[in-house]
Amino acid sequence: MRKLDIYEKDFHSYSIYLEKNFSGISEKLKELDCKEQKVLIVTDDHVAPLYLKELEDKIRSSFSAMESVVLPSGEENKTLSHIATIYEAAIAFGLQRKDFMIALGGGVVGDMTGFAAATYLRGIRFIQIPTTLLAQVDSSIGGKTGVDFQHYKNMVGAFHMPCLVYSSMHTLSSLPELQYASGMGEIIKHALIHNPKYLPYLMEHRQGLIEKDADTLLETIYQSNRIKKYFVEKDPFEHGDRKFLNFGHSLGHAIEKVADFSYSHGQCVAFGSLMALSLCAGISEDERKSIEELMQDLSLEVRCKKMDFESVFSAMKKDKKQNKDHLQFILLHHLCSPYIDEALEKETLEQAFYRFVED
């Protein structure tokens, strides 16, 4: 087991636990003093058959009453209409302000449950139990919640910190290859922006990552969580350095939208990271090549399908991360030295984009 504590200013906010299975979760719930409270588990129709009953059996005695709601899976269902489904289930169950919601699933379920918890009765507590690699290293940590609106990713949302994050390695064994690779897109991004020892570790342990070795995965997720912790604690509401976590996201989110979400989020971050690296004067061609090879070894594509740059550029300008009329783009002085560039010309971005697009 590995543990990380997240602080807001000087106060403990919540803990992250990394375990090999669900065996320790009831013990961790004791620190929340939830024995007298109800809990609503929110999951989706992909995760529910795999892990819902197992989780229910482990935590039933930790709460006074328990219900679940199963949503349709997929980014296309990350909408306000499905948030209404969570509200309806919470009202029917009689969930009160001292009660809990649990997000059991990937990033979509986590973001939606967090947003529902942030807005139901003006805010109730929620627990993240991420079941995908992407969610375990990224979306379950830091309190960003939200839904997509008119195909714009996470356009409606709120900051609402979980009260506990519990990541189990055994849920990764059921991940399809594309979803597993998606998590690797965010992991590599972490290694590019912080901790100079992390990228060499990934290079050295790529075979263990390919084989989903539990010990290698636990250490990798722990190191990525440490990086996310560093930026979240430093800048909880993304006014400054936390923006560096958006490396690869400006073009990545736009590609994701223009491709109508046919690519996973982490895959689009990988595309965006390669495009951003090509704009970094302090990154050598050998470094770029080794990063590209690492991505390929971990089943990430390094060339996206042909699409119109004008559509991508238009989507990028409408992204919630942009600052008025200036495109905010995260670049690197060198590996693990990020900065914000607001002076990139459209033509420069276009050249970087087409470098990693199929002919």
Side-chain angles (χ1 to χ4, degrees):
M1 186 270 286
R2 304 296 290 271
K3 178 186 179 184
L4 283 170
D5 291 312
I6 305 297
Y7 290 85
E8 190 170 347
K9 296 181 178 177
D10 294 327
F11 297 96
H12 182 263
S13 181
Y14 59 95
S15 296
I16 302 167
Y17 291 99
L18 307 178
E19 302 255 13
K20 290 189 176 181
N21 51 50
F22 286 154
S23 62
I25 191 166
S26 60
E27 186 67 28
K28 307 305 182 294
L29 288 171
K30 289 180 181 178
E31 58 189 68
L32 301 181
D33 193 24
C34 53
K35 187 81 172 177
E36 303 303 317
Q37 272 69 57
K38 295 180 177 181
V39 64
L40 177 67
I41 302 173
V42 183
T43 187
D44 65 35
D45 56 13
H46 176 75
V47 174
L50 297 170
Y51 303 114
L52 179 56
K53 186 180 184 303
E54 179 185 357
L55 178 66
E56 288 175 336
D57 290 344
K58 292 292 184 184
I59 69 171
R60 193 176 302 278
S61 62
S62 299
F63 296 92
S64 64
M66 180 171 57
E67 287 287 348
S68 62
V69 57
V70 180
L71 304 175
S73 60
E75 183 79 29
E76 66 274 13
N77 294 304
K78 191 178 176 182
T79 63
L80 289 169
S81 64
H82 287 105
I83 293 294
T85 302
I86 302 174
Y87 294 152
E88 289 163 1
I91 292 168
F93 186 34
L95 219 60
Q96 299 297 309
R97 187 168 287 174
K98 290 185 178 180
D99 294 326
F100 291 80
M101 290 184 187
I102 286 179
L104 174 67
V108 171
V109 167
D111 284 358
M112 294 178 71
T113 307
F115 181 68
T119 50
Y120 180 75
L121 299 178
R122 295 192 178 97
I124 68 171
R125 291 175 289 178
F126 87 110
I127 297 162
Q128 288 271 21
I129 303 181
T131 59
T132 66
L133 183 59
L134 181 65
Q136 289 182 2
V137 299
D138 184 45
S139 60
S140 65
I141 304 166
K144 281 187 177 182
T145 75
V147 295
D148 303 339
F149 184 71
Q150 295 182 351
H151 297 289
Y152 291 99
K153 191 172 178 68
N154 297 327
M155 187 59 72
V156 180
F159 283 96
H160 189 56
M161 298 296 175
C163 55
L164 178 73
V165 179
Y166 188 97
S167 294
S168 171
M169 302 301 101
H170 85 297
T171 65
L172 303 182
S173 62
S174 62
L175 283 183
E177 183 179 359
L178 289 179
Q179 279 198 17
Y180 184 71
S182 179
M184 290 300 167
E186 284 284 355
I187 285 169
I188 293 171
K189 179 210 73 176
H190 288 148
L192 296 176
I193 64 170
H194 194 69
N195 186 357
K197 296 180 180 179
Y198 192 27
L199 186 60
Y201 172 86
L202 296 179
M203 297 283 189
E204 182 181 346
H205 291 85
R206 72 181 75 194
Q207 192 59 40
L209 294 172
I210 292 168
E211 295 172 357
K212 297 185 183 179
D213 174 71
D215 291 328
T216 305
L217 276 172
L218 196 147
E219 181 63 23
T220 299
I221 295 167
Y222 176 73
Q223 294 302 330
S224 273
N225 284 185
R226 286 184 64 199
I227 291 170
K228 192 78 185 277
K229 165 185 161 75
Y230 170 81
F231 286 108
V232 167
E233 288 182 340
K234 194 173 184 180
D235 179 22
F237 300 108
E238 200 174 40
H239 299 309
D241 284 4
R242 185 169 173 173
K243 293 179 180 179
F244 295 150
L245 288 167
N246 295 326
F247 183 80
H249 282 62
S250 294
L251 279 165
H253 272 178
I255 291 168
E256 198 171 356
K257 178 186 180 296
V258 173
D260 198 24
F261 300 102
S262 59
Y263 286 121
S264 71
H265 173 69
Q267 176 60 75
C268 291
V269 169
F271 288 146
S273 295
L274 288 172
M275 293 168 186
L277 285 170
S278 73
L279 296 169
C280 301
I283 306 297
S284 71
E285 191 59 34
D286 285 344
E287 286 173 323
R288 279 191 283 267
K289 192 67 178 174
S290 66
I291 292 162
E292 190 172 326
E293 289 172 354
L294 176 63
M295 288 182 177
Q296 289 177 304
D297 287 345
L298 297 175
S299 299
L300 287 161
E301 298 179 52
V302 295
R303 297 291 183 275
C304 71
K305 62 187 176 184
K306 192 170 184 179
M307 59 183 72
D308 176 45
F309 177 74
E310 290 298 328
S311 299
V312 171
F313 188 71
S314 176
M316 189 164 52
K317 288 195 296 182
K318 293 176 182 176
D319 191 281
K320 66 186 184 305
K321 294 180 175 63
Q322 297 308 332
N323 179 24
K324 296 181 180 179
D325 297 325
H326 300 286
L327 284 176
Q328 288 194 330
F329 213 86
I330 310 302
L331 296 178
L332 305 176
H333 293 296
H334 50 79
L335 289 176
C336 301
S337 178
Y339 69 98
I340 297 174
D341 192 311
E342 293 188 347
L344 283 175
E345 298 290 336
K346 178 182 176 182
E347 293 75 15
T348 304
L349 287 172
E350 185 173 9
Q351 290 173 4
F353 173 77
Y354 279 120
R355 182 173 175 177
F356 295 94
V357 173
E358 295 174 351
D359 295 331

